[in-house]
Amino acid sequence: MIWLQRFLMLVGVLALVLLGLVLAKVDFAPTPPMVLASHPGAQWQGGVDGGYYVEITRAEPPLFFVQVRHASGDLWDEGWIRYVDGDGGPLTADKVLAFDGDAVIYLQQRKVLASEKSIAR
């Protein structure tokens, strides 16, 4: 009976050592953000299973020209947005919560991309 206890203890110790070695080899560093070489200002919105790039290419406060690109870098949609923040800050790609694919950008509220500045809301 004592031999069985010692054997099980040895198996447990070996399992802990093996677990420690595996954890030492695992890289817990965050993955670097995806960058488009042709559009370095574009920021990735999404995960590994899909998403899009958002880039603010022109800023004429309170109007901002936004481009949304596919993961390949091809242009998906673009247009002007009228954006006024309570703290007076400019629109940045970080403030974009979502893009629905039909010219609608979601910030804190729904905004529609407009082809011209004069009709941007």
Side-chain angles (χ1 to χ4, degrees), residues 11-33:
V11 169
V13 169
L14 289 176
L16 287 175
V17 169
L18 183 62
L19 178 65
L21 290 174
V22 168
L23 288 177
K25 294 288 185 184
V26 174
D27 184 18
F28 290 105
T31 57

Side-chain angles (χ1 to χ4, degrees), residues 14-77:
L14 289 176
L16 287 175
V17 169
L18 183 62
L19 178 65
L21 290 174
V22 168
L23 288 177
K25 294 288 185 184
V26 174
D27 184 18
F28 290 105
T31 57
M34 296 175 60
V35 178
L36 279 175
S38 57
H39 297 277
Q43 287 187 337
W44 178 252
Q45 301 279 336
V48 295
D49 61 341
Y52 48 85
Y53 287 96
V54 175
E55 183 176 20
I56 313 299
T57 57
R58 286 182 271 174
E60 300 172 16
L63 297 172
F64 298 87
F65 192 75
V66 179
Q67 289 185 330
V68 181
R69 299 186 173 280
H70 293 280
S72 64
D74 296 333
L75 187 63
W76 188 346
D77 206 348

